[in-house]
Amino acid sequence: MASPLYLAFCGIAVLTLKELNSWVTEPYMDEPFHIPQAQAYCRGEWTSWDPKITTPPGLYLLSLVLQKLFMLRCTLPMLRLTPLLSLLCLPLALNKLLSLHQRQPNHNNLLSPSPESIIVASFPISWFFGFLYYTEVPSLVSVLTTVVCAWNGDHGLAALVGFISCWFRQTNIIWVLYAYAYSQLALLRFQPTSEPKRLHDPMSLSASPGDLWKALVSIPRVIPVILPNFGPYALLIAAFVGFLFVNGGIVLGDKSNHVPVLHIPQMYYFFAFATAFGWPILFANGHKHLRREVFSRIRTAATIVITIIVAGTIQRYTIHHPFLLSDNRHYTFYVWQRIFRRHPVIPILVAPVYVICAVAWFVRIGEDQTLLQTLVLPAALVPTLLPTPLLEPRYFLIPYILLRCQVTSKSRWGLVIEGAWYSIINLATMWVFLYMERPGVGRFMW
């Protein structure tokens, strides 16, 4: 039987979509590209394709499956049910992943996810895009399911679900490899104590900089152990390489506005984003404890050098994307125009903040993880974010949720504050989107 909290989550989500459909009666923002494409598939026009669409057709195919199963029409309100149903499945996937990170048996009924999983599912970016015809939430659910399957040792199923995830966003291939890598690190960490430890992978908070080098050079010793599990993923990688060859690159459709470039500050934006949204859980064990742990790891000379490098890469590699500069219907437009572009030195002055945010998250997720377990997510961020020229909160959704799930110790009050913080943001952003449309500008959104 479903838990009352999950039923409340579902009920609020359904009512929110109903309200949105009554106010937003025409496709909005990216929906004018996605909705006609889905409707073309509903009509059986399989060769029809809008060249401005940059993601694979997974969203439209999922809508087509739902249409056949439930005899739905391919109208705008009905198509918006696809991301909504994905949003309703999100707490179920999160419940599995959180229980694995916390190493707790998951005895909950399938429809009784933990309060923490419902809170995390209410994260503002996933919540908002659960009501518009976008790929974000189906993509997120498929990636989380891939990670859970890999961790449980079902690598064939993980590769299959990972393959499906790549039909929502082609960059999800990175998160499939993350799922494999993290599952193998967990396998090696909890192998029987009678077996010799081949991988040098100490606990994060007790590791020194020299341990990272020792860990990296020890990886070849564990290849015979982890290689047999890689078979299903190798097939997926081969298929992905074939896609790159046929497509002429990773970008679909509108390649001119999505040319891969080296955008190093994206990493810094992510940790600032994670701190701005995740501060309740970041400080859930007390700000004094976190501050002590962070500053105990900040060595003056090394920190100065790192901060100078960060500032230098901000100066050299910051990208002012035309979409970011011109589309004033996104919150990022105002952050960029009213803060970062107010004076050329402002982005550079924020460099120490980025460094502290990154160290704080390393400390927080490293409390119950090994060094490599803690670093595998930042490693996956590099090929995911660095080639991306456009600053978009949606691009941070999957890595943030994976990062958040790695926080294993938190107080009850920390969860309450986190849930309240997300609820305030969700209420404010949805209110602005629905009821504060500006003539000549449009509706404001992430």
Side-chain angles (χ1 to χ4, degrees):
M1 183 177 179
S3 68
L5 188 58
Y6 180 58
L7 288 176
F9 176 87
C10 296
I12 294 171
V14 170
L15 291 175
T16 301
L17 179 61
K18 182 182 178 187
E19 184 72 359
L20 186 142
N21 281 332
S22 66
W23 284 88
V24 188
T25 57
E26 297 293 331
Y28 190 71
M29 199 61 74
D30 287 1
E31 285 185 326
F33 304 107
H34 295 308
I35 295 293
Q37 186 62 57
Q39 291 172 335
Y41 276 24
C42 288
R43 295 191 298 268
E45 299 173 8
W46 301 107
T47 58
S48 173
W49 184 258
D50 186 339
K52 291 188 177 296
I53 295 175
T54 60
T55 52
L59 178 66
Y60 324 128
L61 295 175
L62 178 58
S63 295
L64 193 61
V65 170
L66 295 176
Q67 183 221 10
K68 299 299 183 183
L69 286 176
F70 301 108
M71 305 297 290
L72 301 175
R73 292 179 299 167
C74 285
T75 60
L76 175 61
M78 293 297 103
L79 287 173
R80 284 176 176 163
L81 285 174
T82 302
L84 175 70
L85 292 174
S86 301
L87 181 64
L88 301 185
C89 292
L90 183 55
L92 312 181
L94 283 166
N95 190 55
K96 299 289 186 182
L97 183 57
L98 285 166
S99 65
L100 288 170
H101 275 292
Q102 296 163 10
R103 299 196 295 282
Q104 295 177 351
N106 182 19
H107 296 309
N108 289 352
N109 182 284
L110 176 63
L111 297 180
S112 297
S114 67
E116 182 180 2
S117 63
I118 294 174
I119 290 170
V120 178
S122 303
F123 180 64
I125 307 301
S126 55
W127 177 263
F128 188 91
F129 288 103
F131 307 107
L132 295 173
Y133 197 64
Y134 277 62
T135 63
E136 268 59 41
V137 182
S139 172
L140 173 62
V141 172
S142 61
V143 167
L144 296 180
T145 305
T146 301
V147 176
V148 169
C149 292
W151 202 333
N152 284 329
D154 298 326
H155 296 288
L157 182 58
L160 176 60
V161 179
F163 174 75
I164 294 172
S165 76
C166 292
W167 282 81
F168 295 112
R169 278 197 176 275
Q170 56 270 48
T171 52
N172 284 347
I173 187 68
I174 304 298
W175 300 116
V176 175
L177 296 178
Y178 165 88
Y180 166 75
Y182 198 95
S183 70
Q184 298 310 288
L185 290 172
L187 173 69
L188 294 168
R189 177 184 175 185
F190 298 110
Q191 67 182 8
T193 55
S194 58
E195 297 183 15
K197 291 284 185 181
R198 302 182 183 184
L199 182 67
H200 180 83
D201 193 15
M203 298 301 292
S204 291
L205 301 190
S206 62
S208 66
D211 284 313
L212 177 58
W213 173 251
K214 293 179 182 178
L216 293 176
V217 299
S218 70
I219 290 177
R221 297 202 298 265
V222 300
I223 289 178
V225 179
I226 65 175
L227 191 59
N229 294 328
F230 188 68
Y233 306 97
L235 296 175
L236 178 55
I237 292 173
F240 188 78
V241 171
F243 157 76
L244 294 177
F245 180 78
V246 172
N247 186 60
I250 194 169
V251 179
L252 283 168
D254 187 13
K255 293 181 170 64
S256 61
N257 287 309
H258 296 83
V259 178
V261 292
L262 184 59
H263 194 185
I264 295 175
Q266 285 276 39
M267 296 286 288
Y268 314 147
Y269 304 149
F270 170 74
F271 286 109
F273 168 92
T275 304
F277 282 95
W279 64 265
I281 211 66
L282 188 62
F283 298 113
N285 288 344
H287 67 90
K288 292 182 179 179
H289 168 75
L290 182 67
R291 184 175 60 187
R292 185 174 60 252
E293 290 289 336
V294 168
F295 284 98
S296 69
R297 284 165 174 78
I298 293 181
R299 295 166 175 81
T300 306
T303 303
I304 291 175
V305 171
I306 292 173
T307 304
I308 291 173
I309 294 173
V310 170
T313 54
I314 291 172
Q315 174 68 23
R316 175 67 178 82
Y317 294 102
T318 294
I319 295 175
H320 304 278
H321 196 280
F323 289 175
L324 182 62
L325 299 177
S326 62
D327 196 340
N328 59 355
R329 296 168 296 176
H330 292 289
Y331 295 119
T332 48
F333 170 88
Y334 298 95
V335 172
W336 202 257
Q337 295 287 1
R338 297 181 181 180
I339 299 177
F340 288 104
R341 297 198 79 191
R342 185 170 291 273
H343 193 281
V345 78
I346 290 178
I348 298 174
L349 291 177
V350 186
V353 177
Y354 295 143
V355 174
I356 292 174
C357 289
V359 175
W361 279 105
F362 175 85
V363 169
R364 193 69 176 91
I365 67 174
E367 292 174 344
D368 190 38
Q369 293 195 131
T370 66
L371 180 62
L372 292 180
Q373 282 182 311
T374 303
L375 294 179
V376 69
L377 178 59
L381 282 175
V382 172
T384 305
L385 294 181
L386 259 60
T388 307
L390 180 60
L391 173 60
E392 271 267 21
R394 292 181 293 146
Y395 299 160
F396 300 150
L397 174 58
I398 290 175
Y400 176 82
I401 295 297
L402 293 173
L403 180 76
R404 168 59 183 84
C405 288
Q406 292 180 17
V407 178
T408 57
S409 62
K410 76 283 294 183
S411 64
R412 180 173 297 179
W413 276 112
L415 290 174
V416 170
I417 296 172
E418 181 186 28
W421 176 235
Y422 290 171
S423 298
I424 291 170
I425 297 174
N426 289 334
L427 182 62
T429 52
M430 192 57 70
W431 183 276
V432 168
F433 181 72
L434 294 180
Y435 309 126
M436 297 182 68
E437 181 180 9
R438 287 177 58 185
V441 178
R443 302 179 184 276
F444 294 98
M445 61 186 293
W446 293 111

